[in-house]
């Protein structure tokens, strides 16, 4: 039970401190506008002789939102010791959810504060009127649920209906009435033949870029130009044209999604929703997609899970990590990848040269030494799944010994995945590690592993590289680097020297 106050304000005269709260999901100047709510609340205060000490409002905020996430109401509740009555124009202005209303009333009960609605008025210090207020909020909640259900059903029916539901028409189409109060797509007399010509050029061997150059040279308006309401003139773009050629809108389908993820909208039976005639037939569509897919280029540098020197390279100015940035020279498009300070310092250095310098330094000092793998200590196993995971990690570590090339990389990926699962599900003592020899030298481990595995080698050795800013000197210089190693590799080096 919520501890309600026995104090009854009686809605009569007397000195009462009032906090006025106004809320609206959208202020459109209607009968429940913020201004009309304010007038109703202040009229009641003037009639009863009450003093308004606080006012708060929330616009574009739903009544189902918890009071802690409404700035206006949260500010009032934070000062609930300063007023006697929280005044709202109507119960549904306070909340459209009974649980939310109960939370507000519960919080106000700590200070014996009442909630009053000016349209009743309702007073929560009176049990019958408190129940009436909650009943009104329950009706508002039910009304809100019904409205949302109707809107959801209308949207679903509209999505499945074979009609155009809004927005600019795809290139090659125009919007026309469907005769039933809705809209559909029809072929555009000028752009539809041009779209077929573009498809034909691609199928006969022309590149998307060459087609764009031809269209721009002939002064043919681009889709962005024809859709611009401000008269802005834009050139044909290979990226935009390629997106158009991959869109199922060419088949007369309504589409969903963006970019390369644009797909045909489907009805309840899973069939494409047709909103216009196809510009090309399905066979031509399949040939076009096959042609575009065959021309797609694989990036020269595949995106890695993380860079080689993540957690290894740091800024000498602020000790922040250096992050890998992919860049290209404007002239020939060649790689110009760099490591950059994540803390905002002016530390920028060539990624290739930095990685090569760290590799050469580490292999020169530790390459011939036996590699020691680091495994974190974990809490004692509590179930069979932990035992199995520990056994799998050990088995993969044993299999890695003696493997080279792709086979070693495959096992290394499995080991990393198991290790990630182990770290996620088991508490780790950061100060406790188990070290074990793999049977290979550091150089052998380096050659057998991919970029992620090589980073683990550097971390196991405790390698760190601090990079100083260029300070208007040559961008690349070994003098900018301060290399060190604090892991077992350094200890082994001392033992063998």
């Amino acid at each position: 039970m919520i501890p309600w106050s026995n104090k009854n304000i009686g809605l009569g005269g007397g000195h009462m401190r009032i906090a006025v709260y106004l809320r609206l999901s959208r202020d459109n100047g209607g009968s429940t506008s913020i201004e009309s709510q304010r007038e109703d609340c202040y009229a009641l205060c003037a009639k009863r002789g009450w003093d308004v000490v606080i006012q708060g409002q929330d616009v574009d905020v739903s009544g189902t939102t918890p009071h802690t996430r409404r700035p206006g109401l949260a500010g009032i509740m934070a000062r609930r010791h300063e007023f006697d009555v929280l005044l709202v124009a109507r119960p549904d202005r306070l909340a459209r959810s009974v649980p939310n209303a109960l939370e507000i009333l519960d919080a106000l009960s700590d200070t014996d504060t009442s909630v009053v609605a000016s349209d009743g008025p309702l007073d929560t210090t009176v049990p019958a009127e408190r129940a009436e207020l909650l009943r009104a909020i329950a009706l508002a909640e039910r009304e809100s649920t019904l409205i949302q259900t109707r809107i959801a059903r209308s949207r679903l029916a509209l999505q499945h209906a074979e009609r155009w539901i809004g927005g600019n028409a795809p290139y090659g189409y125009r919007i026309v009435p469907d005769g039933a109060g809705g809209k559909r797509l029809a072929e555009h007399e000028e752009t539809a033949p041009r779209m077929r010509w573009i498809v034909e050029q691609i199928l006969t061997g022309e590149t998307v870029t060459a087609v764009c150059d031809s269209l721009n040279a002939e002064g043919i308006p681009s889709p962005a130009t024809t859709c611009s309401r401000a008269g802005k003139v834009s050139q044909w773009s290979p990226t935009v044209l390629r997106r158009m050629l991959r869109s199922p809108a060419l088949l007369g389908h309504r589409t969903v999604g963006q970019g390369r993820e644009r797909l045909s909208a489907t009805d309840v039976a899973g069939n494409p929703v047709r909103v216009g005639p196809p510009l090309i037939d399905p066979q031509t569509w399949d040939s076009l997609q096959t042609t575009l897919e065959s021309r797609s280029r694989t990036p020269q540098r595949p995106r890695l899970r993380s860079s080689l020197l993540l957690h290894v390279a740091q800024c000498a100015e602020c000790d922040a990590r250096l992050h890998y940035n992919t860049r290209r020279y404007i002239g020939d498009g060649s790689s110009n990848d760099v490591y950059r300070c994540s803390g905002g310092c002016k530390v920028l250095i060539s990624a290739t040269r930095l990685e090569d310098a760290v590799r050469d330094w580490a292999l020169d000092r530790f390459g011939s030494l036996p590699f020691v793998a680091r495994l974190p200590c974990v809490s004692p196993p509590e179930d069979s799944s932990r035992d199995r995971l520990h056994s799998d990690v050990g088995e993969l570590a044993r299999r890695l010994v003696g493997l080279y090339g792709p086979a070693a990389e495959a096992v290394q990926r499995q080991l990393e995945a198991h290790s990630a699962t182990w770290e996620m599900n088991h508490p780790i003592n950061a100060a406790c590690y188990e070290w074990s020899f793999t049977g290979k030298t550091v150089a052998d481990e380096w050659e057998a592993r991919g970029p992620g595995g090589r980073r683990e080698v550097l971390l196991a050795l405790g390698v760190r590289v601090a990079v100083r800013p260029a300070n208007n000197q040559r961008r690349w210089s070994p003098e900018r680097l301060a290399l060190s190693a604090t892991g077992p590799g350094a200890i082994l080096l001392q033992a063998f020297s």
Side-chain angles (χ1 to χ4, degrees):
M1 289 291 294
I2 296 176
W4 300 105
S5 167
N6 293 321
K7 178 188 66 173
N8 186 346
I9 66 173
L11 299 178
H15 179 71
M16 300 295 295
R17 300 173 302 169
I18 307 299
V20 174
Y21 175 61
L22 317 171
R23 184 198 64 79
L24 198 61
S25 298
R26 180 171 298 177
D27 193 356
N28 55 13
S31 61
T32 57
S33 67
I34 290 293
E35 188 58 36
S36 64
Q37 293 178 50
R38 183 182 293 109
E39 291 176 357
D40 292 343
C41 290
Y42 277 79
L44 180 63
C45 290
K47 181 179 179 180
R48 302 297 181 184
W50 294 343
D51 297 329
V52 177
V53 296
I54 303 173
Q55 177 183 306
Q57 67 182 45
D58 290 306
V59 180
D60 293 333
V61 176
S62 170
T64 60
T65 303
H67 72 276
T68 55
R69 291 168 51 193
R70 302 190 214 172
L73 183 55
I76 291 177
M77 298 295 287
R79 301 171 59 186
R80 57 184 177 272
H81 295 277
E82 302 177 18
F83 57 90
D84 305 304
V85 174
L86 175 60
L87 178 61
V88 294
R90 287 168 31 187
D92 61 356
R93 299 304 92 197
L94 179 68
R96 277 184 174 266
S97 166
V98 172
N100 288 347
L102 289 173
E103 288 182 1
I104 297 172
L105 295 175
D106 187 21
L108 291 174
S109 67
D110 295 339
T111 54
D112 289 339
T113 303
S114 307
V115 175
V116 172
S118 66
D119 69 337
L122 296 173
D123 175 13
T124 58
T125 61
V126 180
E129 293 185 3
R130 180 173 67 247
E132 184 65 25
L133 180 131
L134 292 175
R135 189 178 300 112
I137 292 176
L139 291 175
E141 181 177 15
R142 181 174 181 272
E143 178 187 4
S144 178
T145 302
L146 291 175
I147 291 174
Q148 292 175 7
T149 302
R150 286 198 298 268
I151 292 175
R153 288 179 177 175
S154 299
R155 287 179 176 175
L156 184 61
L158 191 59
Q159 289 174 358
H160 294 163
E162 293 187 348
R163 56 189 296 188
W164 186 249
I165 59 177
N168 295 324
Y171 193 78
Y173 290 98
R174 58 188 178 92
I175 302 173
V176 297
D178 65 355
K183 298 178 180 179
R184 285 182 60 82
L185 297 179
E187 287 191 15
H188 192 281
E189 295 79 1
E190 183 178 350
T191 59
R194 184 175 298 129
M195 196 67 204
R196 294 192 183 96
W197 175 84
I198 292 174
V199 173
E200 181 181 353
Q201 294 299 305
I202 299 299
L203 293 178
T204 55
E206 284 287 357
T207 64
V208 175
T209 301
V211 172
C212 286
D213 291 341
S214 298
L215 294 170
N216 289 326
E218 296 179 17
I220 296 175
S222 67
T225 301
T226 57
C227 294
S228 174
R229 297 183 179 181
K232 182 179 180 181
V233 178
S234 303
Q235 296 287 306
W236 283 83
S237 163
T239 300
V240 175
L241 180 55
R242 192 174 292 107
R243 189 181 303 145
M244 292 164 52
L245 294 172
R246 289 184 177 275
S247 173
L250 290 172
L251 297 172
H253 298 172
R254 183 191 299 141
T255 60
V256 294
Q258 299 291 332
R260 295 196 61 172
E261 302 300 323
R262 193 180 296 274
L263 304 172
S264 298
T266 57
D267 56 21
V268 291
N271 300 317
V273 178
R274 297 184 180 276
V275 292
L279 296 183
I280 58 177
D281 57 68
Q283 292 77 19
T284 304
W285 163 263
D286 292 338
S287 299
L288 176 63
Q289 302 311 305
T290 301
T291 301
L292 293 173
E293 193 65 32
S294 65
R295 296 178 184 177
S296 62
R297 295 181 299 176
T298 303
Q300 295 180 356
R301 184 186 183 101
R303 185 179 297 273
L304 304 177
R305 185 184 63 178
S306 57
S307 59
L308 174 64
L309 300 183
L310 180 65
H311 303 293
V312 174
Q314 63 188 58
C315 173
E317 294 286 300
C318 65
D319 293 331
R321 297 176 185 172
L322 298 189
H323 285 179
Y324 192 99
N325 289 160
T326 300
R327 305 198 312 184
R328 291 285 183 270
Y329 284 112
I330 297 177
D332 58 4
S334 58
S335 174
N336 185 27
D337 300 348
V338 297
Y339 279 92
R340 182 188 299 273
C341 176
S342 61
C345 295
K346 296 181 179 180
V347 171
L348 185 74
I349 194 166
S350 167
T352 302
R353 291 190 174 184
L354 179 61
E355 290 178 353
D356 289 347
V358 173
R359 176 202 62 198
D360 294 344
W361 184 87
L363 294 182
D364 179 63
R365 284 159 176 76
F366 310 125
S368 61
L369 300 178
F371 180 68
V372 183
R374 182 180 69 167
L375 294 177
C377 300
V378 300
S379 59
E382 299 176 357
D383 52 41
S384 59
S385 63
R386 295 188 177 187
D387 292 337
R388 289 195 301 271
L389 187 59
H390 187 277
S391 177
D392 290 344
V393 170
E395 178 62 25
L396 288 171
R398 286 189 292 272
R399 288 173 55 188
L400 191 59
V401 178
L403 293 179
Y404 295 89
E409 293 183 6
V411 174
Q412 178 64 30
R413 286 193 296 269
Q414 295 180 52
L415 184 58
E416 291 175 356
H418 279 68
S419 298
T421 303
W422 182 276
E423 293 177 3
M424 181 176 62
N425 294 292
H426 297 71
I428 297 176
N429 181 355
C432 175
Y433 293 99
E434 295 177 352
W435 300 90
S436 61
F437 290 97
T438 63
K440 294 182 180 180
T441 64
V442 172
D444 292 338
E445 287 285 351
W446 186 273
E447 291 299 323
R449 299 188 180 201
R454 291 175 177 177
R455 183 184 62 252
E456 294 299 328
V457 171
L458 294 176
L459 293 175
L461 294 172
V463 175
R464 294 290 184 272
V465 54
V467 182
R468 294 187 292 272
N471 293 329
N472 298 323
Q473 303 297 320
R474 295 181 57 184
R475 177 168 293 184
W476 167 251
S477 172
E479 296 178 357
R480 295 180 57 191
L481 311 183
L483 287 141
S484 61
T486 58
I491 299 174
L492 288 174
L493 180 62
Q494 296 175 0
F496 280 85
S497 60

